[in-house]
Amino acid sequence: MKLSSAALAAAALPAAQAWGGFGHITVAYLASSLVSPPTATYFQTLLRNSSTDYLAGVATWADSLRYSKYYRFTSTFHFIDAKDNPPHSCSVDLARDCKATGCVVSALANYTTRLLDPTLPPSERAVAAKFVIHFVGDIHQPLHAEDVARGGNGIQVRFDGVQLNLHHVWDSSIAEKLVGGGVRRQPYAQARAWADGLVREIQGGRWNESSRGWLGGVDVGDPEGTALGWARESNALVCSHVLPEGPEAIVGQELGRTEYYDKAAPVVELAIAKAGYRLAAWLDMIVARIQSQDAGMGDL
Ligand SMILES: *[C@@H]1O[C@H](CO)[C@@H](O)[C@H](O)[C@H]1NC(C)=O
Ligand SMILES: *[C@@H]1O[C@H](CO)[C@@H](O)[C@H](O)[C@H]1NC(C)=O
Ligand SMILES: *[C@@H]1O[C@H](CO)[C@@H](O)[C@H](O)[C@H]1NC(C)=O
């Protein structure tokens, strides 16, 4: 079959463009709807953007650094290569899986700590904020917490007739199909609409009760432990939903018009919702801590 040029362009997209941009922007809009007013003010000031897009506008910045010499050292910060054995066993072990050059768990911990460091200049804390916003998204994508075939980049599948790699399917294709298209033309408008729907589910809808449980184990005093918990949750989905029959069985399979998609779509939706909800809570905790540090200093 002759692939359309659009299909070829999609297949050639940079492999690790996590959540395809669209997911990251949705997570950021969701968080900006859920943060407390002092948190919004704090980050609007730090990021020098007083619009409602202050988080969404920087959500994909960390992916744009791929070709930047200065930030080349961040290239392994977007994922953790869990060397487990899906679908038989899934696990994340920091000592085994975090590269010497860093991983999403160590990076999220590092940039959270830097955001809390009052001795760093605002420009450095703004950089830290942009990394935190991005990595909370990345860590919720199951294939960013898996080593097999470079996080699925090396596994070719089909999605609605188009040849793609499995990583791209989980970054972008499932989410784009879920919202019904139009993402390529208007990513920000579509992301905001999706985020608004997820906010309604969290505030009174399907997740009204369960969403509080999403903050179990979340402790800004232990950013590494918190991030590791999130990575383990994502990684477990590799066994249950990403590679339920293992990495060999999925090669060449059509995933879009099948039961695979029907099972995967709610998982992606929940992962995006949790990421946005947790990002909001994380930013709230950071600002509460900074403001209590400031209050403490005032007492001296
Ligand atoms: C705020 O961010 C949005 C989204 O990136 C951008 O369009 C807008 O120009 C920014 N505003 C300022 C003042 O930088
Ligand atoms: C923490 O972030 C700083 C600033 O980007 C970077 O120089 C340093 O290597 C990072 N450390 C870790 C452990 O990721
Ligand atoms: C959401 O849950 C709270 C606490 O259990 C409850 O009081 C409230 O009525 C619920 N809201 C909706 C719209 O279901």
Side-chain angles (χ1 to χ4, degrees):
M1 192 194 92
K2 240 174 100 188
L3 286 172
S4 71
S5 57
L8 286 172
L13 277 177
Q17 219 206 13
W19 287 126
F22 178 59
H24 281 290
I25 299 166
T26 306
V27 168
Y29 274 131
L30 187 48
S32 42
S33 293
L34 297 173
V35 290
S36 72
T39 301
T41 304
Y42 182 87
F43 284 101
Q44 283 173 330
T45 306
L46 185 65
L47 297 167
R48 298 165 171 271
N49 190 321
S50 58
S51 77
T52 53
D53 300 336
Y54 66 107
L55 298 180
V58 299
T60 61
W61 172 82
D63 274 337
S64 75
L65 305 176
R66 190 171 313 278
Y67 305 109
S68 139
K69 248 196 182 120
Y70 182 73
Y71 281 113
R72 184 167 293 163
F73 69 94
T74 64
S75 65
T76 63
F77 290 3
H78 298 250
F79 52 83
I80 181 163
D81 277 342
K83 292 174 186 62
D84 53 1
N85 183 26
H88 310 292
S89 75
C90 273
S91 62
V92 180
D93 178 327
L94 203 52
R96 179 191 65 186
D97 301 328
C98 193
K99 289 188 196 304
T101 50
C103 63
V104 70
V105 173
S106 61
L108 195 45
N110 181 41
Y111 288 109
T112 298
T113 305
R114 291 174 69 83
L115 201 39
L116 286 165
D117 182 350
T119 67
L120 287 178
S123 59
E124 280 299 308
R125 282 183 282 122
V127 165
K130 291 191 273 186
F131 279 126
V132 166
I133 293 159
H134 187 82
F135 295 144
V136 172
D138 276 346
I139 209 168
H140 283 82
Q141 207 279 51
L143 284 171
H144 279 245
E146 179 53 53
D147 181 57
V148 163
R150 290 175 293 118
N153 276 295
I155 297 177
Q156 293 299 313
V157 295
R158 303 172 68 76
F159 195 89
D160 288 344
V162 179
Q163 196 187 332
L164 293 168
N165 73 61
L166 187 65
H167 189 96
H168 180 86
V169 166
W170 279 84
D171 265 358
S172 308
S173 314
I174 296 168
E176 291 179 9
K177 185 177 168 99
L178 187 60
V179 300
V183 169
R184 297 281 155 108
R185 268 176 291 119
Q186 294 195 300
Y188 286 85
Q190 284 284 66
R192 184 188 279 270
W194 192 20
D196 287 347
L198 297 175
V199 168
R200 284 192 293 274
E201 297 292 357
I202 288 167
Q203 294 178 337
R206 259 186 295 165
W207 299 317
N208 183 40
E209 303 285 332
S210 56
S211 51
R212 258 159 293 166
W214 300 348
L215 299 184
V218 173
D219 174 7
V220 79
D222 179 15
E224 189 180 272
T226 302
L228 186 57
W230 292 342
R232 287 191 167 132
E233 198 179 296
S234 292
N235 166 268
L237 295 169
V238 175
C239 282
S240 62
H241 288 83
V242 180
L243 295 169
E245 317 281 335
E248 281 83 30
I250 203 167
V251 173
Q253 295 295 314
E254 164 60 49
L255 306 182
R257 307 180 183 105
T258 57
E259 199 190 331
Y260 184 92
Y261 170 80
D262 294 339
K263 288 184 175 165
V267 167
V268 166
E269 191 184 27
L270 183 59
I272 294 281
K274 283 182 174 178
Y277 188 83
R278 287 168 171 167
L279 176 58
W282 199 242
L283 299 180
D284 279 348
M285 289 176 202
I286 287 168
V287 170
R289 208 166 243 247
I290 289 169
Q291 293 184 341
S292 72
Q293 282 167 4
D294 289 352
M297 302 265 274
D299 289 344
L300 289 174

